[in-house]
Amino acid sequence: MIDLRSDTVTQPTDAMRRAMADAEVGDDVFGDDPTVNRLQDRVAELTGKEAALFVASGTQSNLAGVLAHCGRGDAFLIGRGYHVVSYEGGGSAVLGSAWPYPLEVDARGALAPETIHAAIPADDVHFPQPVLLCLENTMGGKVQSLDTIRAAADAGRSHGLAVHLDGARLWNAVVATGTEVADWTQHVDTVSLCLSKGLGAPVGSVLAGPADFISRAHRIRKMLGGGMRQAVVLAAAGLHALDHHVERLADDHARAARLAEAIGALGRDDVRVVGQETNMAMVEVDAPAAVASHLAQHGITVLPWPTMRLVCHLGIDDAAVDAVVAAFASAPAA
Ligand SMILES: *Cc1c(COP(=O)(O)O)cnc(C)c1O
């Protein structure tokens, strides 16, 4: 099975399963799980923040984060199409009464400082008042440069906004640019990092920020039903992923580049490579349903979108790349 739908489909490796089986177990709701605490301390250190909190998912992380930043009726500025406003069920509004104010982004998903400045309302009773700016990196696989993140964060801060970075795939930006996590997180107040995408853990994200913020987020996590008791097996997988699966993201990026190049070299009119960003190759397909079903006959799973996202990850090796290219080559013409 070659599954290119997302990097969330990764399976724990044998070594990760052993780390999970061998971990020391406590009860995390009582705060006495040594493995969860180690994971949280590790991420706090990596991000240069005072504290961190292990949560069930990226969605729960962002939700607890936005709710810990915003009171009822507060607004937050965010790029149009970013995950928090577009793909999280409207949780911040539904559960936190925090009002998302989407701003236009450029073709790479970047929020310009001028756009942020222009969005700050007058202090007038008519206008919801923003207290937070939400950024995202990578955005749809695209790396937002350090300058982009710094400039947007500075613009937000100049108006007194806190800045939250949805860094579900920040690891990919880190590896693609040869930087450190802290190079990015120094510009923001709080950050959410995912362990279950490219890093290959089965479950989990980590939210990091100032100690008082994490303590509010901890209370909110409990309220959201996110206290996980013997979370140790999950945290052990996360620690293993941090130790062994960060640098190897470069292999995923190289394979996505090879996929894009080889599919492009097929020279098909009906399958056009339109880009490659970090671990994703983007292919415009005239007959997505037919191509997806042809690929399925070759044991390859894709999302049948007109612009197909072919996502490389821990479960995709060089042989899988070759098999995908061969299957695209043999797909019937549209
Ligand atoms: C996947 C993703 C999330 C949500 O993560 P889940 O663990 O699926 O809830 C949040 N933000 C971004 C940018 C993501 O890519």
Side-chain angles (χ1 to χ4, degrees), residues 25-218:
V25 183
D27 186 304
D28 182 51
V29 175
F30 289 116
D32 59 4
D33 187 314
T35 309
V36 173
N37 291 336
R38 265 205 300 139
L39 173 64
Q40 293 177 161
D41 291 347
R42 176 83 181 276
V43 173
E45 194 185 316
L46 263 178
T47 54
K49 301 300 175 197
E50 285 173 357
L53 182 69
F54 182 50
V55 291
S57 67
T59 299
Q60 187 175 74
S61 190
N62 285 325
L63 178 57
V66 172
L67 267 58
H69 279 295
C70 299
R72 188 173 160 82
D74 287 338
F76 61 98
L77 306 183
I78 185 165
R80 192 178 291 285
Y82 285 11
H83 206 278
V84 169
V85 68
S86 300
Y87 303 105
E88 298 184 4
S92 43
V94 176
L95 300 165
S97 298
W99 190 70
Y101 189 105
L103 306 179
E104 294 311 323
V105 296
D106 71 13
R108 290 198 57 80
L111 252 176
E114 309 80 67
T115 308
I116 294 164
H117 292 307
I120 303 295
D123 184 4
D124 176 300
V125 292
H126 293 85
F127 308 131
Q129 296 295 308
V131 299
L132 175 68
L133 169 68
C134 283
L135 303 176
E136 183 172 315
N137 202 14
T138 65
M139 199 284 170
K142 300 183 193 75
V143 175
Q144 309 293 305
S145 73
L146 262 177
D147 281 347
T148 301
I149 293 291
R150 185 194 306 125
D154 286 351
R157 286 223 172 107
S158 72
H159 299 283
L161 308 187
V163 183
H164 173 72
L165 175 63
D166 176 358
R169 292 194 181 93
L170 186 65
W171 313 106
N172 296 88
V174 164
V175 169
T177 54
T179 51
E180 304 285 333
V181 171
D183 293 336
W184 305 82
T185 53
Q186 65 176 320
H187 300 299
V188 301
D189 299 292
T190 62
V191 60
S192 170
L193 298 170
C194 183
L195 301 169
S196 72
K197 286 184 170 163
L199 295 199
V203 167
S205 281
V206 184
L207 180 65
D212 60 338
F213 164 87
I214 290 298
S215 132
R216 287 196 301 281
H218 191 178

